């Protein structure tokens, strides 16, 4: 960089007392970006660093750390990150900026163009995602990245849609917790689980009016559904995605009490394996619709048969 551009960057940092702590990182960043020959890009970088210096100290430090890391990988990707970082810092805390930067870095390691476009898109849409769920979102994406960058990117970009479907931060966070548990065994099935979630929540919404009349809400049944999905994930991995996909069919035309009864009996059968529990879940819903008065006898017979192997 020219002496004038270096002076601009130093002056920008010094003008913000809160950013003094990050000055060594900014110097490291300057060294990495010293390969930039274009005068216009040098001016752009100087201006971006000036804006970063106006951020709270912890966020400025996070941005500079990630920028230096990205510069070692690709100057272009690092520049795209710097362009988007100021806006992203209005949405994400320091930890979130690092997680977002790490995801982009891993995408860029696989394909520079993908990484650059990821940062170009920014994080404005994450405003729709409750803060409590964001760390879990990044954790799920990190699990999916080794399998497929496109799957991880889709999980990230569809987060606002899923947030709207879930309806509140607690439900959304629980959804990502289940997806993360599934991803420990199968990243592909974690994506299937998330893809099936909007339809599942749409069907769970039918319980809202009756629950509200009792002073409860949809979340009472949704929590029970997510608990069952979580147990499926812990005990049977990817079968949880199959159960979640079949949930709308299994609970069709059942009232809230019947639905919770079906969930309880399905969970009991998870001791027999994920496939057995999945069949009980689907068939049990049909029994409750056609002949609810024999459901208890039906499940007792299933346990008796299962005891014989």
């Amino acid at each position: 960089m020219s002496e004038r551009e270096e002076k601009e960057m130093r002056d920008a940092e010094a003008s913000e007392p809160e950013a003094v702590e990050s000055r060594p990182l900014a110097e490291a960043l300057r060294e990495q970006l010293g390969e930039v020959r274009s005068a216009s890009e040098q001016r752009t970088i100087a201006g971006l660093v000036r804006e970063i210096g106006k951020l709270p100290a912890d966020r400025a430090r996070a941005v500079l750390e990630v920028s230096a890391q990205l510069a070692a990988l690709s100057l272009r990707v690092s520049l795209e990150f710097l362009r988007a970082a100021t806006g992203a810092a209005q949405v994400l805390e320091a930890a979130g900026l690092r997680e977002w930067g790490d995801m982009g870095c891993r995408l860029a390691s696989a394909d520079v163009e993908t990484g650059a476009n990821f940062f170009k898109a920014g994080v404005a849409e994450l405003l729709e995602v409750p803060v409590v769920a964001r760390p879990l979102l990044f954790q799920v994406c990190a699990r999916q990245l080794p399998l497929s960058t496109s799957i991880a990117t889709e999980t990230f970009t569809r987060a606002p849609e899923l947030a709207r479907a879930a309806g509140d931060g607690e439900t959304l966070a629980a959804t990502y917790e289940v997806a993360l548990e599934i991803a420990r065994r199968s990243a592909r099935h974690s994506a299937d689980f998330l893809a099936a979630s909007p339809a599942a929540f749409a069907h769970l919404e039918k319980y809202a009016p009756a629950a509200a009349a009792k002073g409860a809400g949809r979340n009472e049944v949704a929590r029970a559904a997510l608990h069952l999905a979580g147990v499926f994930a812990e005990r049977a991995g990817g079968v949880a995605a199959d159960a979640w996909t079949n949930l709308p069919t299994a609970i069709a035309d059942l009232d809230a009490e019947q639905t919770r009864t079906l969930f309880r009996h399905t969970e009991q059968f998870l001791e027999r394996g994920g496939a057995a529990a999945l069949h009980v879940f689907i068939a049990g819903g049909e029994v409750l619709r056609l002949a609810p008065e024999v459901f208890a006898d039906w499940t007792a017979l299933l346990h008796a048969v299962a005891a014989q192997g």
Side-chain angles (χ1 to χ4, degrees):
M1 287 187 179
S2 68
E3 292 183 4
R4 180 173 63 82
E5 296 300 337
E6 288 185 351
K7 182 177 184 302
E8 280 189 26
M9 294 179 77
R10 285 194 298 269
D11 291 345
E13 294 153 14
S15 66
E16 294 295 328
E18 290 184 334
V20 171
E21 177 188 353
S22 299
R23 188 174 298 159
L25 289 169
E27 291 172 357
L29 177 62
R30 273 201 304 277
E31 291 177 6
Q32 295 285 355
L33 297 177
E35 299 177 24
V36 176
R37 302 305 180 195
S38 168
S40 62
E41 284 193 350
Q42 289 176 0
R43 286 192 294 272
T44 297
I45 293 169
L48 290 171
V49 172
R50 186 182 304 111
E51 291 302 312
I52 291 166
K54 299 175 183 177
L55 296 174
D58 60 337
R59 298 184 198 187
R61 184 175 184 83
V63 169
L64 292 173
E65 286 176 349
V66 173
S67 296
Q69 179 184 2
L70 287 169
L73 177 67
S74 166
L75 294 175
R76 179 191 170 196
V77 175
S78 181
L79 187 56
E80 292 296 347
F81 172 78
L82 284 172
R83 286 193 176 106
T86 303
Q90 309 307 312
V91 179
L92 300 173
E93 301 289 341
L97 287 168
R98 289 188 175 91
E99 290 167 330
W100 176 59
D102 180 66
M103 182 174 175
C105 183
R106 294 173 70 175
L107 288 170
S109 296
D111 181 73
V112 170
E113 187 70 23
T114 300
N117 289 336
F118 176 76
F119 288 128
K120 277 183 182 179
V123 297
E125 290 188 347
L126 287 188
L127 285 169
E128 294 188 58
V129 180
V131 174
V132 67
R134 291 175 191 171
L136 288 161
L137 167 61
F138 283 115
Q139 289 176 48
V140 172
C141 290
R143 287 279 182 178
Q144 293 174 341
L145 273 169
L147 170 73
S148 169
T149 57
S150 61
I151 287 176
T153 303
E154 183 179 358
T155 294
F156 184 81
T157 56
R158 294 182 66 177
E161 175 192 351
L162 184 54
R164 292 190 293 270
D168 61 78
E170 179 185 354
T171 302
L172 181 62
T175 304
Y176 282 130
E177 285 175 351
V178 176
L180 183 60
E181 182 63 36
I182 296 171
R184 291 192 173 99
R185 302 190 188 186
S186 171
R188 171 76 259 180
H189 283 98
S190 70
D192 294 340
F193 173 81
L194 292 174
S197 291
F201 288 128
H203 281 265
L204 291 167
E205 186 67 36
K206 70 181 183 179
Y207 301 113
K214 296 178 181 179
R218 184 200 71 184
N219 282 347
E220 181 182 354
V221 179
R223 278 195 296 270
L226 284 166
H227 170 75
L228 178 62
V231 178
F232 260 107
E234 291 170 4
R235 299 185 183 179
V239 181
D242 297 324
W244 202 234
T245 300
N246 282 281
L247 183 139
T249 300
I251 69 173
D253 301 320
L254 301 184
D255 62 30
E257 185 55 39
Q258 288 175 321
T259 298
R260 286 192 292 267
T261 297
L262 178 62
F263 291 167
R264 287 195 299 272
H265 284 282
T266 300
E267 183 176 347
Q268 291 172 4
F269 262 86
L270 273 167
E271 297 178 0
R272 307 289 179 180
L278 178 61
H279 286 301
V280 169
F281 184 50
I282 297 170
E286 190 68 12
V287 172
L288 282 168
R289 276 187 294 277
L290 297 177
E293 67 280 0
V294 304
F295 183 77
D297 292 334
W298 180 75
T299 54
L301 177 60
L302 286 181
H303 282 288
V305 173
Q308 303 303 314

